[in-house]
Amino acid sequence: MKTTPLASMTVRAFCEELASSSPAPGGGSVAALSGALSAALSSMVASLTFEKKGFEGVRPEMERIGGEGHRLLSQQVAAIDDDTFAFNRVMDAFGMPKGTDEQKAARKSAIEEATKGATLEPMGTLERCASLLDIAAAAAEQGNPNSLSDAGVAGLMARAAAHGAYYNVLINLSGISDEGWTSKIREKADLLLSQANEKAAALEKLMLTKLKG
């Protein structure tokens, strides 16, 4: 079974590790955690709505939101550790010997490949944010009104996850020499962030309309 040292920590222990001088976990793992919190909140709203009398008509939709939420939750929890594992592989590559030309070439190649891997981890979180925002919006639109604020916070966490992941993609791209690869990833990341922002803005408008009556 894959180890999950970060995801298995208590909240306090994780925050203390985050606050230490160690560079990892860092923003990428926090972005992943934000996505996990979003998924969990949407799933909670779905469960509370599914069980509530008078909401029988939306039970199929709540079941869908709950199922999608748990799928995304599992992926995002895994990403908390995967992001740090990827960063550690980059550090390992930088630690490779560089005494000869052959060693220097091997080290350079290893750094490039590890950095690409570290870029793809936050890209995974960014790719999932559209779905996170979709289920948060569905929970806000059709869910138990007593849990409306929870659905709204799910949206905020998804937006934070998207922006945090995007920043981590960009900072990793700056260390990659493969211009064709970086251009493709940057273009995709820009599109995904734009889509997330549109969905987040629509959800915020819905939230304020509902909350303010």
Side-chain angles (χ1 to χ4, degrees), residues 5 21 23 31-32 39 46 48 69 81 101 105 107 113 118 127 141 148 169 193:
S21 60
L48 290 172
D81 279 287
D101 289 342
R107 178 178 178 272
E113 290 308 305
E127 287 171 341
E141 181 68 50
L148 178 59
V169 168
L193 184 67

Side-chain angles (χ1 to χ4, degrees), residues 196-206:
N197 282 334
E198 289 179 9
K199 290 176 183 291
L203 176 53
E204 182 177 17
K205 183 178 179 180
L206 172 65

Side-chain angles (χ1 to χ4, degrees), residues 83-96 107 110-119 172:
D83 189 89
T84 293
F85 291 153
F87 175 82
N88 289 338
R89 285 192 287 272
V90 175
M91 292 298 97
D92 289 343
F94 271 102
M96 291 174 63
R107 178 178 178 272
I111 291 172
E112 179 95 347
E113 290 308 305
T115 305
K116 285 182 177 181
T119 305
N172 282 310

Side-chain angles (χ1 to χ4, degrees), residues 49-64:
T49 307
F50 187 91
E51 297 167 356
K52 190 171 179 63
K53 185 177 180 180
F55 286 80
E56 291 83 2
V58 297
R59 280 183 175 174
E61 177 66 355
M62 294 302 112
E63 186 173 16
R64 182 193 71 81

Side-chain angles (χ1 to χ4, degrees), residues 42-204:
S42 292
S43 296
M44 183 193 79
V45 175
S47 295
L48 290 172
T49 307
F50 187 91
E51 297 167 356
K52 190 171 179 63
K53 185 177 180 180
F55 286 80
E56 291 83 2
V58 297
R59 280 183 175 174
E61 177 66 355
M62 294 302 112
E63 186 173 16
R64 182 193 71 81
I65 293 171
E68 179 72 351
H70 279 89
R71 182 185 70 82
L72 291 165
L73 174 59
S74 178
Q75 293 175 336
Q76 287 303 125
V77 168
I80 295 169
D81 279 287
D82 288 344
D83 189 89
T84 293
F85 291 153
F87 175 82
N88 289 338
R89 285 192 287 272
V90 175
M91 292 298 97
D92 289 343
F94 271 102
M96 291 174 63
K98 49 182 178 179
T100 67
D101 289 342
E102 290 78 8
Q103 289 176 337
K104 289 177 181 177
R107 178 178 178 272
K108 181 179 179 180
S109 177
I111 291 172
E112 179 95 347
E113 290 308 305
T115 305
K116 285 182 177 181
T119 305
L120 294 177
E121 285 302 328
M123 271 295 290
T125 288
L126 184 53
E127 287 171 341
R128 289 185 285 273
C129 284
S131 295
L132 289 168
L133 285 158
D134 284 343
I135 62 172
E141 181 68 50
Q142 301 183 54
N144 184 340
N146 294 329
S147 299
L148 178 59
S149 61
D150 298 305
V153 174
L156 292 174
M157 289 295 97
R159 183 183 183 280
H163 281 259
Y166 180 74
Y167 294 161
N168 277 272
V169 168
L170 294 185
I171 198 168
N172 282 310
L173 287 179
S174 67
I176 297 172
S177 62
D178 186 340
E179 294 182 1
W181 193 88
T182 58
S183 178
K184 180 180 178 181
I185 294 297
R186 184 178 291 109
E187 182 179 353
K188 183 177 181 180
D190 287 344
L191 176 60
L192 290 170
L193 184 67
S194 177
Q195 292 172 343
N197 282 334
E198 289 179 9
K199 290 176 183 291
L203 176 53
E204 182 177 17

